[in-house]
Structure formats: structure tokens, C-alpha cells
Amino acid sequence: MSPPPPSPKPSRQRLQRIPATAGSAPILSALRADGAVIITSLFPPSAISLLNTEINPLMSPIAPGSTQPSPFIQAFHGPTTKRLNNLVGRSPTFRSLFLENDLIHECCSALFVNDSGGYWMNSAQVIDIPPGSAAQPLHRDQWQFPVFTLVGPEAPEASCNFIVALSGFTDENGATRVIPGSHAWKDMSDNGRAEDSVAAEMEVGDVCFISGKVVHGGGANVTEGETRRGLAMVFQASYLTPEEAFPFNVEREVARGMSERGQRMVGFRSQALKDSPGVWKRDYREGEEVYC
């Protein structure tokens, strides 16, 4: 038996840049072609300013690095990088302006609803990469769910990530790096080479929208005084377990003030899976009857 053909390797193309005003159709077309696309001006400067104002005092006391013993996870989290989670519980601006963005939900619906019947949020975190930080190991977000690595590029989407530029993203200050086309490689365990990646350079308010299949990673920050700040919002198919245990982190009174869509994103409503009576229930009752 002859060995399988090698994974096609992409050229060092730049990511497509599509304005948010163009709507979801061209954005999704670019995502399917390249595995990633930059959505320009998705969030206005006023929204970015409000979010940064809320999270600045929360980021300050966070210790850099990882609490995990695994050397790989320590490198993945970054020894100098700061990460802030539970944005749903901590930031009214995140709940009202970021989690409720209609274009994000149009894109998620197109990726997940036909396959799984629904989707919810895996995690949301602010990531500060300070000067002197090394590049993050290249990876695919779907590595959290190993079966998708085994199935290959034809598998349904496990997850997608919207990386929001809360500061300017440049090649020098650690912009997310992406290998365009890697979402179509036959071998999903191949994480490629750094020299094949391109920098997702963005203005404040732009978003790098990536498939869970595409190889990417935070870049090295070689500047002397710029901290690169990004917001990673990861969504996934309803049948997969989120990274953040939202119902244990978000106060019930906070959840009650959220929209029905927002409550579903963070586990305060049941998930209506395709060809299934649903999940995330108690005594077969819908979650909203119990949790909210």
C-alpha cells in the first residue's frame, strides 16, 4: 500500500481583509478558502475603550505565566503572558457589546447549526503579550478535542475563534500568526513551521476570525515597550464541553440580566442538539426553567 499523499503546504499569502459592513457571506467564503480572515472595524473604538477601562485594574495584579505543571502548557500559556478569564462575570461591556455582536453569531450559526443544531462559548479571555515574549507554539484550537484531529480536514467544525485587537497588532509586537490553508491539510497533527506563517496585523477593533482547524499561535513581541493586547472569543459545537465552567463562575443574578442568546452561550439554558432531545438539562426540564 502506498503512503498517503503529503499535506499541501501553503504559500506565504496575506490573510484576506474584509470590512464588517460586507456581511457574513464574503467573510465565511474567505474563512473556508484560507482557514482565517481579518474582519476590519468589527468593533468601534468606543467599545474597545470601554472594555479596556474595565479590565485594566483586573489585569494589573495577574501573575504572568501558567499554573500548570506541563512544560508544553507552560510554553503554550507563555511564561511572560497575562491571561484574564471570566469576562462574562467581570465585564458588563463584554456581556453587552462583545458577546452580543450579531455578525459573530451569524458566522457561528453558519458553521455549527447545520451540523450540531447549536453552539455555545468555549472561553473568552484577554491576553497581554509584553515586550520580550517568545512566540507561542503553533497549534490548532481543535486540539482540545482529539477525535477531530483523527477525522481530518473533512470533519465538521469543532470550534472557531474571534481574536479581537484591543491594541494594535503588528508583526513586531506579537500579532497572531496563521498558516493560511493549513485547515485543509490531510494530517491534522502537523502543526507546520513558523516560517510558513503570516502575521495577522490589525488596527484596534479589527478581528482575526479563525477556524479551529487552522494552525496559528501568538507571535513573538520583539518591541521594547509595546504590550500586545487581544481578546480571544472561542465558540464551539453544542455537543462539546466548554473550557470555562461558566455556571460556576457567573453569578445567577448576572445571568438573569443577559439576553436569552447570551444565557445559552454560557450554559444558563439548555442546548438543543440536532437529532437529540438536547443536553444540559435537569429532570428533562429546559435549563432556563431551572437555572434562571
Side-chain angles (χ1 to χ4, degrees), residues 30-113:
L31 181 85
R32 292 179 177 119
D34 302 332
V37 57
I38 293 175
I39 307 171
T40 60
S41 302
L42 181 56
F43 293 101
S46 58
I48 302 297
S49 178
L50 281 171
L51 184 63
N52 277 325
T53 297
E54 287 179 359
I55 64 178
N56 279 337
L58 302 174
M59 293 295 294
S60 180
I62 293 176
S66 177
T67 60
Q68 302 298 310
S70 162
F72 172 78
I73 299 300
Q74 290 177 10
F76 178 82
H77 285 164
T80 59
T81 298
K82 289 187 174 186
R83 295 171 181 267
L84 175 69
N85 287 96
N86 191 21
L87 296 180
V88 178
R90 289 170 162 152
S91 170
T93 297
F94 176 80
R95 292 194 298 271
S96 62
L97 299 183
F98 288 80
L99 184 56
E100 292 291 349
N101 182 273
D102 288 333
L103 183 58
I104 284 178
H105 287 284
E106 286 179 27
C107 292
C108 286
S109 294
L111 291 184
F112 299 118
V113 170

Side-chain angles (χ1 to χ4, degrees), residues 162-243:
F162 296 85
I163 303 171
V164 185
L166 300 184
S167 67
F169 274 37
T170 67
D171 195 2
E172 294 75 23
N173 75 7
T176 302
R177 302 197 67 85
V178 180
I179 302 183
S182 56
H183 67 307
W185 293 358
K186 296 297 182 184
D187 183 2
M188 289 280 108
S189 66
D190 179 0
N191 288 331
R193 305 176 304 171
E195 53 264 38
D196 293 324
S197 66
V198 297
E201 296 192 297
M202 298 188 284
E203 300 293 330
V204 169
D206 292 350
V207 174
C208 184
F209 175 30
I210 66 173
S211 162
K213 301 176 184 180
V214 82
V215 175
H216 69 287
N221 189 334
V222 297
T223 68
E224 294 185 1
E226 289 183 49
T227 293
R228 192 226 75 176
R229 173 172 288 181
L231 162 64
M233 301 172 62
V234 182
F235 295 86
Q236 64 186 39
S238 289
Y239 50 69
L240 298 173
T241 305
E243 179 178 303

Side-chain angles (χ1 to χ4, degrees), residues 2 14 26 33 61 63 77 91 104 125-126 145 167 180 209 254 281 283:
S2 60
R14 296 177 66 88
H77 285 164
S91 170
I104 284 178
Q125 60 179 270
V126 173
F145 313 108
S167 67
F209 175 30
V254 170
K281 297 189 174 187
D283 297 329

